[in-house]
């Protein structure tokens, strides 16, 4: 697993944002969690269901962007990566590579 981030300063970035609308079911309970850095600024929560569907929530203090990746050997080449952030105008973006 590779986690890349830049500009760690003041904003909290969520990879998954639960909807708290009354018509929506409650967000799933994520049983596992870990801080991915010694400063406790990158927090990962995850879980899986009986069909092995994985749910992740990544919380990062950043003023720029964050990338979250998976690979069979923990290396960047050949990994699956999600990049997300907040544009200067406040809009949220995601990209999958």
């Amino acid at each position: 697993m590779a986690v890349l981030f830049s500009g760690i300063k003041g904003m909290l970035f969520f990879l998954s944002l639960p909807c708290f609308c009354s018509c929506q079911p409650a967000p799933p309970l994520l049983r596992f969690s870990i801080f991915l850095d010694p400063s406790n600024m990158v927090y990962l929560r995850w879980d899986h269901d009986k069909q092995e569907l994985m749910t992740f929530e990544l919380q990062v203090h950043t003023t720029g962007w964050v990338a979250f990746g998976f690979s069979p050997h923990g290396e960047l080449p050949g990994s699956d990566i999600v990049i997300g952030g907040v544009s200067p105008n406040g809009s949220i973006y995601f990209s999958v590579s």
Side-chain angles (χ1 to χ4, degrees), residues 15-31:
L15 183 60
S16 66
L17 298 172
C19 177
F20 294 106
C21 305
S22 61
C23 60
Q24 296 292 325
L29 174 66
L30 303 177
R31 296 177 291 168

Side-chain angles (χ1 to χ4, degrees), residues 52-74:
E52 301 284 327
L53 178 66
M54 301 286 300
T55 301
F56 292 93
E57 177 182 288
L58 183 64
Q59 300 176 14
V60 181
H61 290 275
T62 181
T63 57
W65 56 273
V66 63
F68 183 71
F70 297 89
S71 75
H73 305 290

Side-chain angles (χ1 to χ4, degrees), residues 27-34 43-57:
L29 174 66
L30 303 177
R31 296 177 291 168
F32 309 102
S33 65
I34 189 169
Y43 184 61
L44 176 64
R45 296 177 59 215
W46 74 96
D47 205 346
H48 61 88
D49 63 15
K50 292 178 182 177
Q51 290 79 31
E52 301 284 327
L53 178 66
M54 301 286 300
T55 301
F56 292 93
E57 177 182 288

Side-chain angles (χ1 to χ4, degrees), residues 8 35-42 61:
I8 296 178
F35 282 100
L36 299 177
D37 68 317
S39 301
N40 293 344
M41 307 241 344
V42 181
H61 290 275

Side-chain angles (χ1 to χ4, degrees), residues 67-70 76 78-83 94-97:
F68 183 71
F70 297 89
L76 191 56
S79 64
D80 295 319
I81 300 174
V82 175
I83 300 171
F94 288 99
S95 174
V96 178
S97 63

